[in-house]
Amino acid sequence: MTVVSNTGPLARYRMMRRIRSFEERVGELFLKGGSAGSMLHLSIGEEAVVGLTDAMRDGDSFTTHHRGHGVFLGRGADPNRMMAEIAGKQDGYCRGKGGSMHIADRALGHLGANAIVGGGISHVIGAGLTYRNRGTGQISVAFFGDGAMSQGILYESMNMAALWQLPVIFCCINNQYGMGTRVDRSAGSRDFPARAAAFGLNAARADGAEVETVHDTARAMVSAAREGRPGFLEIDAYRFFGHARMDKSPYRTPEEEAEGRQRDPLARARARLLAEGAAEAAELDRIDAAAGTEMDGALDHALAAPAPALSTMFQDVYAPGTPAPRPQADRLRAVLAEEARA
Amino acid sequence: MTVVSNTGPLARYRMMRRIRSFEERVGELFLKGGSAGSMLHLSIGEEAVVGLTDAMRDGDSFTTHHRGHGVFLGRGADPNRMMAEIAGKQDGYCRGKGGSMHIADRALGHLGANAIVGGGISHVIGAGLTYRNRGTGQISVAFFGDGAMSQGILYESMNMAALWQLPVIFCCINNQYGMGTRVDRSAGSRDFPARAAAFGLNAARADGAEVETVHDTARAMVSAAREGRPGFLEIDAYRFFGHARMDKSPYRTPEEEAEGRQRDPLARARARLLAEGAAEAAELDRIDAAAGTEMDGALDHALAAPAPALSTMFQDVYAPGTPAPRPQADRLRAVLAEEARA
Amino acid sequence: MTETTYREAIRQALIDGMEADADVILMGEEVGLYGGAYGVTKGLIDMFGASRVIDTPISEPAIIGAAIGAAMTGLRPVAELMYVDFAGMAMDQIANQAAKSRYMFGGQIGVPMVLRTQGGTGRSAAAQHSQSLEAWMLHTPGLRLVMPGTVNDAYHLLRQALRQPDPVVVIEHKGLYTMKGQLDVATPDGAWGQPVTRRTGRDLVILTYSRMLHESLAAADRLAQAGVEAEVIDLRCLNPLDEAPLIEAVRRTGRAMVVTEAAVTGSVASDIAARLGESCFDWLEEPVLRLGGEDIPIPVSPALEKGSIPSADLVHDTALWLVTRKAPPWAA
Amino acid sequence: MTETTYREAIRQALIDGMEADADVILMGEEVGLYGGAYGVTKGLIDMFGASRVIDTPISEPAIIGAAIGAAMTGLRPVAELMYVDFAGMAMDQIANQAAKSRYMFGGQIGVPMVLRTQGGTGRSAAAQHSQSLEAWMLHTPGLRLVMPGTVNDAYHLLRQALRQPDPVVVIEHKGLYTMKGQLDVATPDGAWGQPVTRRTGRDLVILTYSRMLHESLAAADRLAQAGVEAEVIDLRCLNPLDEAPLIEAVRRTGRAMVVTEAAVTGSVASDIAARLGESCFDWLEEPVLRLGGEDIPIPVSPALEKGSIPSADLVHDTALWLVTRKAPPWAA
Ligand SMILES: Cc1ncc(C[n+]2csc(CCOP(=O)(O)OP(=O)(O)O)c2C)c(N)n1
Ligand SMILES: Cc1ncc(C[n+]2csc(CCOP(=O)(O)OP(=O)(O)O)c2C)c(N)n1
Ligand SMILES: [Mg+2]
Ligand SMILES: [Mg+2]
């Protein structure tokens, strides 16, 4: 399967717009009562992560945190299957078993979103070992939030990456908040690249309001990682909305929010494309409209898709062809029926 | 209870000698078959930790790793009760339940040695919270090895210490090895203080061959910690012998060992005391001999001490006066006897 | 006696506990400004200040470890693990440190802390936010373990936990926070360590706890319509647990079912069933039956999630089968 | 058929497994230069090189996590957790990640890895290095779990584990490494998922696994002298486990005991007893009895340690009691 990569500023704009439109539809899905649960974490404001996803290549792999829709779309996800999964439907990416926080796609190298803060970070170490041992030239990228900077496994993983010179990148999408906790209330020191550098990583921070800046930094870091020089990239962004769908962010001021939303990577990219003459307003409008139409389609698809059959709950606990869990009804039947016979 | 503290170079020499003599007797205890198991980790070569223990005060608390005999003696431990515990005897510090790796003394502020690498580090955060909330001016120190630099909980704890400005110190006794792994094979970067500094700690490295250097650095760090500026101190030392009593260190060369043992804090301290005219050889010899006699006594005491009674195994799982575990024999008796009656 | 919610009862217990004892502190992710992921600690930081209601970084092992150190040195921390599912990161601190310190140190150093957490299904929170992991805690000597199923217990078990000299794990249920019920701050439902009979009956005993208590009570009501009288015992304190009342009841009725929301294999239900099998053997008319969650991770789809754990219907049908030998349709 | 040790059998299984499949890698603390804390991997780094036998930093969560990522991308890692006691730090990676990935991702991504570890008492290694934590693993859907008790199983269960598409936890016993026995590399003791009858008998069934197999067999020999014939079944594969042979044996003899070294409350023994209580009820002459470790942390004193777990004597006395109603002296 081929993934979009290294596509240029206009294509990155389009991707960012698709992400935003997608996330807006996720919000609608929830309001329509169509999502599986309310643990939906929108990545609006963090679209400049496309600067890194677009610097990756076909065959590269990655893991994400719970706020990973944007990253996944950036690597080529099918919005229909994503939205269906978020709705808990049978033809979602994970057959309605994973949902928003546990989406994956082996074909696109998505080794899994994770609902455990920091839970997927160390998996890229293993992927890196595979690529190193086989000399494939692939890299693996762990995407996570600023909250994961407080998880010990991140440091264990960074140490291994540096020690073994693995083709991996740690990407911290710093949206300034872990739930209601602003980063200055969770971090003894806010210089995250310094932490990574102290473990021997190639570390940098990029302005998450400027996708092209992110992309420039990311491109260099990806090349280095491919040569066995692992990296750490902090993308400095702002979480436009609440933590999850229920959260109205009472712990921050409207002024702060308004200011944070000024750092909008989409608005900035649009302005830049226009200013540099790289695109005309009409063209950008068409891109925007197309993204909206596409994601409306994904929403409709998800709402219309069938729910998984009850019996599917026993599938995929273990691999096909190996002993499956015994349904409780079978056990009860055996006990009570046999017992009656004795 | 009063603990020796801030005693001057000669007293530090004496303490280091007592530690070495104690550890030598632990080796004998093992050879005599008197130790509870073989998980005995000698701190020979690491005696300069006294530079820090001696900078602490009465009432300060600490936790140690599995190689903590020296630290504990440095804080005033009774060698008889220690050796008895290492022998698994009733009148040991922990009534023969903990052994070498789980020794503690509430009265001396020893909150516990730990057999989990990194297991006790975060406990000083809690102690620091207690002292901060109560404004007592106490500090709490976590002692651990270079191996624990790979444990995530260390970074989680350092971040909390820096964030909350707690009166705590992290002391890494770097003896260059974690079992058979030399530190360059476990650390992506060997600049440990840089890691701590990146979290916002007051970080330093001191030469573990020179107890007075350690002491000077430690004194300043302890004062800062008392004011809420937490610290990280690496003591650069060498593990003279194998990891535990069974290990002959085949993974390192005799040349390396010989060189490492040149960095002997006792020999250096002795030479310095003599050179500076702070003590005469005869006096130091007397100190050495007295330490030997004292620790012979501890060894004899441990060998002669009674083993704990079998019934004590059910004590101290929970606090006295609360429901204790039901011994299996009671359960079997109830089942089989009552059953027979029915 | 006032009507309130399970959430409010816990919040009140924290407030009363903190007012009664200045050493009580709360610490955990989002317990302060945010007021707790499920709103349990709302406003407490304003009442007690940031040095007693401590928002922590997302560092589960160090949160528990810090609580241990605080407990060892004289505070009485209530550490919150936002979801019991995160215990996997912190089991070393829970099981190797908190639970074992008193013992390893020969009784010198106790760890009087409370670990508040919540578990269970019902919110489509998927495999990593819906588990019932009490079996791990029950299998750890040195811990105490309680799981309130009623509003009154939500209050009192926490107050009682705050007076225990040893670490107590309190597992709440995310599906119960909005449940209403009567709170009598003067009168606990039962003493520490005692099960409570929530309904008496002569035909069989249903032993359960936490949210399954309510499915079981609902089932018992329907069973009564069919002429079957089920006794429902709320285990509530899983450790310590006085087994005598369970044994008496099961010997009296000769039939028993243990109901849990956890994956049934290796569950607390297995353990209780094994104990009753030992101590009630000669009195049993039927096998002690376990009813639990399916042995699968929790799926996100609301329908699959619901279908994977016991419902009042399932409890009812199985109990009826056990007592009357009338097999339900799904058993065909 | 050759005589060798349990340790050597495991080592041979690793060698044969690595030779058979170039994707197999080992990773863990001290598995390389040091040769393993118990010498199991001695020399393997020389045979297979440092890219296949990987010494790791002391980072249990990241070791398991790295193995997961390697398994997801095509390698077949054998990750070593030096002591099962350290599982507390890594249960998130074991239970939330390795065990649940296939399910959460709808079957797309399996995690074909082996987690080798060891547990148990016998070396005065105290509370944090002597536990038997298989109950945590058994209670985790998505994992497989085997515990070899013989030399031949030490070899074959590991070889079989290396062919499984899902994560397998192999828990060895530190007290068995030096045990000698027969290894037949061509013939496993039993198929994957099958219990093995190690001794037949008509009077009762002793179900057990790992080191307790040997205490049970020794007890059975002594019981035979008293005219009591005990059948001894080695559970070996705790998941998957074909229960049919257990049920057949218990129904045949009417008496059963489950013996484990783990703290008995919440143990695997409880689970097996509960299952047998359900499925053999009408055939049982006596309750299914559990024999396990005391519900305490493991003390360091050799005498206390030994006294806290079942011995051949205890198994013998209890079995005799169960069969003949002759109470042992200690029951007085
Ligand atoms: C181990 C763990 N601890 C806590 C949580 C609860 N939780 C979910 S998201 C979150 C905040 C994460 O913040 P961050 O990493 O910055 O990601 P963001 O939500 O900002 O994208 C928390 C505390 C969790 N899911 N996992
Ligand atoms: C969590 C954990 N992992 C592994 C071990 C096994 N182990 C015991 S000591 C040790 C080496 C520790 O090295 P270091 O921290 O440098 O301490 P040192 O022994 O050198 O004093 C290891 C790996 C353990 N006890 N705990
Ligand atoms: Mg964030
Ligand atoms: Mg070391």
Side-chain angles (χ1 to χ4, degrees):
Chain A
M1 185 169 301
T2 301
V3 194
V4 276
S5 288
N6 301 299
T7 52
L10 190 61
R12 282 189 281 278
Y13 174 81
R14 183 203 312 273
M15 184 61 85
M16 294 202 296
R17 173 60 66 195
R18 290 179 68 236
I19 293 172
R20 181 151 309 176
S21 296
F22 182 88
E23 297 291 45
E24 287 163 356
R25 298 314 177 281
V26 171
E28 285 181 45
L29 181 73
F30 171 74
L31 291 176
K32 289 193 153 84
S35 66
S38 61
M39 293 188 129
L40 304 172
H41 307 93
L42 306 185
S43 61
I44 294 179
E46 306 172 13
E47 292 88 350
V49 76
V50 163
L52 172 51
T53 57
D54 205 46
M56 292 165 66
R57 243 193 229 159
D58 230 44
D60 291 342
S61 64
F62 61 104
T63 64
T64 80
H65 57 333
H66 54 283
R67 200 180 299 281
H69 302 162
V71 174
F72 191 16
L73 286 163
R75 293 302 301 148
D78 171 354
N80 283 5
R81 291 180 68 197
M82 276 185 78
M83 194 70 82
E85 186 57 39
I86 295 167
K89 298 301 183 66
Q90 169 65 30
D91 62 351
Y93 265 108
C94 308
R95 309 190 196 184
K97 292 206 172 109
S100 166
M101 298 196 295
H102 305 290
I103 210 157
D105 184 359
R106 176 186 274 289
L108 291 175
H110 192 349
L111 302 180
N114 219 299
I116 298 293
V117 169
I121 293 174
S122 60
H123 303 170
V124 305
I125 296 297
L129 283 171
T130 302
Y131 306 151
R132 179 198 75 175
N133 276 12
R134 295 182 171 175
T136 62
Q138 291 159 280
I139 67 165
S140 194
V141 182
F143 294 91
F144 50 88
D146 45 290
M149 295 301 302
S150 301
Q151 286 284 356
I153 198 167
L154 169 64
Y155 301 94
E156 300 183 357
S157 302
M158 292 201 298
N159 183 47
M160 286 181 179
L163 181 65
W164 296 330
Q165 307 192 311
L166 297 177
V168 304
I169 289 174
F170 301 89
C171 177
C172 175
I173 304 172
N174 183 350
N175 62 9
Q176 314 305 324
Y177 280 87
M179 292 186 69
T181 304
R182 203 171 53 203
V183 70
D184 56 312
R185 296 181 65 242
S186 70
S189 151
R190 290 166 71 180
D191 187 349
F192 295 157
R195 299 190 193 178
F199 282 87
L201 296 188
N202 177 21
R205 175 188 290 119
D207 181 355
E210 298 289 351
V211 66
E212 295 306 319
T213 312
V214 173
H215 188 61
D216 291 343
T217 312
R219 258 206 334 251
M221 196 173 278
V222 163
S223 302
R226 258 187 237 293
E227 320 275 76
R229 178 136 196 256
F232 173 94
L233 177 62
E234 175 183 349
I235 299 177
D236 199 33
Y238 191 77
R239 196 189 73 201
F240 278 23
F241 297 104
H243 166 67
R245 290 309 300 161
M246 312 296 245
D247 175 28
K248 303 272 168 285
S249 310
Y251 41 79
R252 62 187 192 186
T253 62
E255 293 72 37
E256 184 202 294
E257 287 198 348
E259 201 183 302
R261 290 184 191 150
Q262 292 299 314
R263 305 191 56 245
D264 182 347
L266 261 168
R268 300 273 190 104
R270 187 184 176 96
R272 190 141 96 125
L273 287 165
L274 293 174
E276 291 176 356
E280 292 187 6
E283 191 180 355
L284 297 179
D285 290 344
R286 272 196 303 276
I287 287 176
D288 294 356
T293 309
E294 180 191 11
M295 300 310 169
D296 282 341
L299 177 58
D300 292 344
H301 170 83
L303 289 169
L310 205 58
S311 64
T312 63
M313 80 166 86
F314 298 104
Q315 290 168 12
D316 301 324
V317 181
Y318 302 100
T322 66
R326 183 184 200 184
Q328 176 152 268
D330 282 5
R331 175 171 54 84
L332 296 175
R333 202 180 297 124
V335 172
L336 290 168
E338 291 200 11
E339 219 254 326
R341 276 206 314 273
Chain B
M1 184 169 301
T2 301
V3 193
V4 277
S5 288
N6 301 302
T7 53
L10 190 61
R12 282 189 283 277
Y13 174 81
R14 185 203 310 275
M15 183 59 86
M16 293 203 295
R17 173 60 66 195
R18 290 178 68 236
I19 292 172
R20 181 150 311 175
S21 295
F22 181 86
E23 296 290 44
E24 287 163 356
R25 299 314 178 282
V26 172
E28 285 180 46
L29 181 73
F30 172 74
L31 290 176
K32 290 194 153 87
S35 65
S38 61
M39 294 188 127
L40 305 171
H41 308 92
L42 307 185
S43 61
I44 294 178
E46 306 172 13
E47 292 87 351
V49 76
V50 163
L52 172 51
T53 57
D54 205 45
M56 292 164 67
R57 243 193 228 159
D58 231 44
D60 290 343
S61 64
F62 61 104
T63 63
T64 80
H65 57 333
H66 54 283
R67 201 180 299 281
H69 302 162
V71 174
F72 191 17
L73 285 164
R75 293 303 300 150
D78 171 354
N80 283 4
R81 290 179 69 197
M82 275 186 79
M83 194 69 82
E85 186 57 38
I86 294 167
K89 297 301 183 67
Q90 170 65 31
D91 61 352
Y93 265 107
C94 306
R95 309 190 196 184
K97 293 208 173 107
S100 166
M101 298 195 294
H102 305 290
I103 210 157
D105 184 358
R106 177 185 273 290
L108 292 175
H110 191 349
L111 303 180
N114 219 299
I116 298 294
V117 169
I121 293 173
S122 61
H123 303 171
V124 305
I125 297 296
L129 284 171
T130 302
Y131 306 152
R132 179 198 74 175
N133 276 12
R134 294 182 172 175
T136 62
Q138 291 159 280
I139 67 164
S140 193
V141 182
F143 294 90
F144 50 89
D146 45 289
M149 295 301 303
S150 302
Q151 285 284 357
I153 198 167
L154 169 64
Y155 301 95
E156 299 183 357
S157 301
M158 293 201 299
N159 182 48
M160 286 180 178
L163 180 66
W164 297 329
Q165 307 190 312
L166 298 178
V168 304
I169 290 174
F170 301 89
C171 176
C172 175
I173 305 172
N174 183 350
N175 62 9
Q176 313 305 325
Y177 281 87
M179 293 187 69
T181 304
R182 203 170 55 202
V183 70
D184 56 311
R185 297 181 64 241
S186 70
S189 152
R190 291 165 70 181
D191 187 350
F192 295 156
R195 298 191 193 178
F199 282 87
L201 296 188
N202 177 20
R205 176 188 288 118
D207 180 355
E210 298 289 350
V211 66
E212 296 307 317
T213 312
V214 173
H215 188 61
D216 291 343
T217 312
R219 260 206 334 252
M221 195 172 278
V222 163
S223 302
R226 257 186 237 295
E227 320 276 76
R229 178 136 196 257
F232 173 94
L233 177 61
E234 175 184 352
I235 298 178
D236 198 32
Y238 191 77
R239 196 189 72 200
F240 279 23
F241 298 106
H243 167 67
R245 288 311 296 161
M246 312 296 247
D247 174 26
K248 303 275 169 284
S249 310
Y251 41 78
R252 61 189 194 188
T253 62
E255 294 72 40
E256 185 202 294
E257 288 199 345
E259 202 183 301
R261 290 183 192 152
Q262 292 299 315
R263 306 190 55 243
D264 181 347
L266 261 167
R268 301 271 190 104
R270 186 185 176 95
R272 190 142 99 127
L273 287 165
L274 293 174
E276 292 176 355
E280 292 186 8
E283 191 180 353
L284 298 180
D285 290 346
R286 273 196 303 277
I287 286 176
D288 292 357
T293 308
E294 180 191 10
M295 300 309 168
D296 282 342
L299 177 57
D300 292 345
H301 170 83
L303 289 168
L310 205 57
S311 64
T312 63
M313 80 167 85
F314 299 104
Q315 290 168 11
D316 301 324
V317 181
Y318 302 100
T322 65
R326 183 184 201 184
Q328 175 152 269
D330 282 4
R331 174 171 53 86
L332 295 175
R333 202 180 295 124
V335 172
L336 289 168
E338 290 200 10
E339 219 254 329
R341 274 205 313 276
Chain C
M1 195 85 133
T2 45
E3 184 173 88
T4 186
T5 60
Y6 185 88
R7 172 192 284 131
E8 273 308 310
I10 300 165
R11 185 167 172 277
Q12 195 59 50
L14 291 172
I15 293 171
D16 292 354
M18 292 181 83
E19 282 175 348
D21 181 351
D23 285 329
V24 174
I25 60 165
L26 311 189
M27 54 191 302
E29 296 156 13
E30 308 297 337
V31 298
L33 278 195
Y34 199 91
Y38 285 92
V40 172
T41 53
K42 200 147 269 172
L44 269 58
I45 193 169
D46 299 325
M47 297 176 66
F48 297 101
S51 64
R52 289 187 69 193
V53 180
I54 304 173
D55 274 324
T56 66
I58 309 173
S59 308
E60 284 77 10
I63 293 167
I64 314 288
I68 291 169
M72 285 176 164
T73 50
L75 296 182
R76 190 171 258 293
V78 180
E80 182 179 310
L81 193 62
M82 197 188 280
Y83 285 75
V84 75
D85 309 68
F86 310 158
M89 336 187 67
M91 279 310 287
D92 182 66
Q93 290 298 322
I94 298 170
N96 280 337
Q97 313 298 339
K100 295 183 174 54
S101 286
R102 180 185 293 280
Y103 194 77
M104 295 189 300
F105 305 146
Q108 288 183 81
I109 303 182
V111 183
M113 66 174 277
V114 171
L115 177 60
R116 266 192 65 230
T117 185
Q118 56 80 25
T121 60
R123 296 184 59 91
S124 281
Q128 295 173 340
H129 280 67
S130 307
Q131 295 170 85
S132 298
L133 296 178
E134 56 271 19
W136 292 2
M137 311 295 172
L138 184 71
H139 190 51
T140 304
L143 293 183
R144 300 303 193 182
L145 171 63
V146 299
M147 296 184 70
T150 68
V151 168
N152 210 44
D153 264 358
Y155 178 87
H156 287 285
L157 288 177
L158 183 49
R159 290 298 311 268
Q160 290 169 334
L162 277 169
R163 285 181 221 111
Q164 291 300 310
D166 291 304
V168 182
V169 178
V170 181
I171 310 183
E172 301 158 10
H173 196 293
K174 64 170 71 60
L176 293 180
Y177 284 124
T178 56
M179 179 184 69
K180 288 198 169 139
Q182 295 297 319
L183 170 62
D184 178 353
V185 295
T187 319
D189 284 354
W192 183 252
Q194 291 295 321
V196 167
T197 304
R198 300 286 181 190
R199 184 189 207 287
T200 55
R202 59 169 187 265
D203 295 319
L204 87 158
V205 187
I206 303 176
L207 303 110
T208 187
Y209 57 95
S210 191
R211 199 177 74 73
M212 285 296 126
L213 170 62
H214 303 283
E215 299 295 323
S216 299
L217 286 170
D221 283 348
R222 282 187 48 206
L223 284 165
Q225 292 163 24
V228 170
E229 291 298 333
E231 179 146 328
V232 179
I233 297 184
D234 181 357
L235 297 169
R236 61 203 279 287
C237 296
L238 295 171
N239 177 6
L241 172 63
D242 181 2
E243 293 174 12
L246 317 182
I247 294 174
E248 182 281 318
V250 174
R251 287 183 179 181
R252 172 161 44 77
T253 61
R255 287 178 176 80
M257 257 169 62
V258 195
V259 184
T260 182
E261 188 173 325
V264 75
T265 296
S267 67
V268 167
S270 290
D271 196 67
I272 299 290
R275 295 193 224 177
L276 294 173
E278 284 179 338
S279 42
C280 301
F281 184 76
D282 281 335
W283 290 263
L284 286 172
E285 306 284 342
E286 300 284 348
V288 179
L289 220 60
R290 297 167 303 150
L291 221 55
E294 300 287 355
D295 286 321
I296 63 172
I298 305 294
V300 81
S301 143
L304 297 194
E305 180 193 42
K306 195 145 187 276
S308 75
I309 58 156
S311 60
D313 283 351
L314 183 67
V315 177
H316 166 270
D317 290 0
T318 310
L320 203 64
W321 196 1
L322 194 66
V323 174
T324 67
R325 303 226 138 277
K326 219 187 83 184
W330 50 262
Chain D
M1 197 84 136
T2 45
E3 185 174 88
T4 185
T5 60
Y6 185 89
R7 171 192 284 130
E8 273 307 310
I10 300 163
R11 186 167 172 276
Q12 195 60 49
L14 291 171
I15 293 172
D16 293 354
M18 293 181 81
E19 282 177 349
D21 181 352
D23 285 330
V24 174
I25 61 165
L26 311 188
M27 54 191 303
E29 296 156 13
E30 308 297 337
V31 298
L33 277 195
Y34 200 89
Y38 285 92
V40 172
T41 53
K42 200 146 268 172
L44 268 57
I45 192 169
D46 299 325
M47 297 176 65
F48 297 101
S51 65
R52 288 186 69 193
V53 180
I54 303 173
D55 274 324
T56 66
I58 308 174
S59 306
E60 285 76 10
I63 292 167
I64 314 288
I68 291 169
M72 285 175 164
T73 50
L75 295 182
R76 190 171 258 293
V78 180
E80 183 180 309
L81 192 62
M82 196 187 281
Y83 285 75
V84 75
D85 309 69
F86 310 158
M89 334 186 69
M91 279 312 286
D92 181 65
Q93 290 298 322
I94 297 170
N96 279 338
Q97 313 298 339
K100 296 185 172 55
S101 285
R102 180 186 293 280
Y103 194 78
M104 296 190 300
F105 305 147
Q108 289 184 80
I109 303 182
V111 183
M113 66 174 279
V114 172
L115 178 60
R116 266 191 64 229
T117 185
Q118 56 80 29
T121 60
R123 296 184 59 91
S124 281
Q128 294 173 341
H129 280 68
S130 307
Q131 294 170 85
S132 298
L133 297 178
E134 56 271 19
W136 292 2
M137 311 294 171
L138 184 71
H139 190 51
T140 305
L143 293 183
R144 300 302 192 183
L145 172 63
V146 299
M147 296 185 67
T150 68
V151 167
N152 210 45
D153 264 357
Y155 178 88
H156 286 286
L157 288 178
L158 184 48
R159 289 300 308 271
Q160 290 170 333
L162 278 168
R163 284 182 222 111
Q164 292 299 312
D166 291 305
V168 182
V169 179
V170 181
I171 309 183
E172 301 158 10
H173 195 294
K174 63 170 73 59
L176 293 181
Y177 285 124
T178 57
M179 179 184 69
K180 289 198 170 137
Q182 295 297 318
L183 170 62
D184 178 353
V185 295
T187 320
D189 285 356
W192 183 253
Q194 291 296 320
V196 167
T197 304
R198 300 288 182 189
R199 185 189 206 286
T200 55
R202 61 170 186 264
D203 296 319
L204 87 159
V205 187
I206 302 176
L207 303 109
T208 187
Y209 56 94
S210 191
R211 199 177 75 72
M212 284 296 127
L213 170 63
H214 303 283
E215 300 294 324
S216 299
L217 286 170
D221 282 348
R222 283 186 49 208
L223 284 166
Q225 290 164 26
V228 171
E229 290 299 332
E231 180 147 326
V232 178
I233 297 184
D234 181 358
L235 297 169
R236 60 202 282 285
C237 296
L238 295 171
N239 177 6
L241 172 62
D242 181 2
E243 293 173 11
L246 317 181
I247 294 173
E248 181 280 319
V250 175
R251 287 183 179 180
R252 172 162 42 78
T253 62
R255 288 178 175 81
M257 257 169 63
V258 195
V259 184
T260 182
E261 189 173 326
V264 74
T265 296
S267 66
V268 167
S270 290
D271 196 66
I272 299 289
R275 296 193 225 177
L276 293 173
E278 283 179 338
S279 41
C280 301
F281 184 76
D282 281 335
W283 290 262
L284 286 172
E285 305 284 341
E286 301 284 348
V288 179
L289 220 60
R290 296 167 303 150
L291 221 54
E294 300 288 354
D295 286 322
I296 64 173
I298 304 294
V300 81
S301 141
L304 297 195
E305 180 194 42
K306 196 146 187 278
S308 75
I309 57 156
S311 60
D313 283 351
L314 183 67
V315 177
H316 166 270
D317 291 0
T318 310
L320 203 63
W321 196 1
L322 193 67
V323 175
T324 68
R325 303 228 137 277
K326 219 187 85 188
W330 51 262

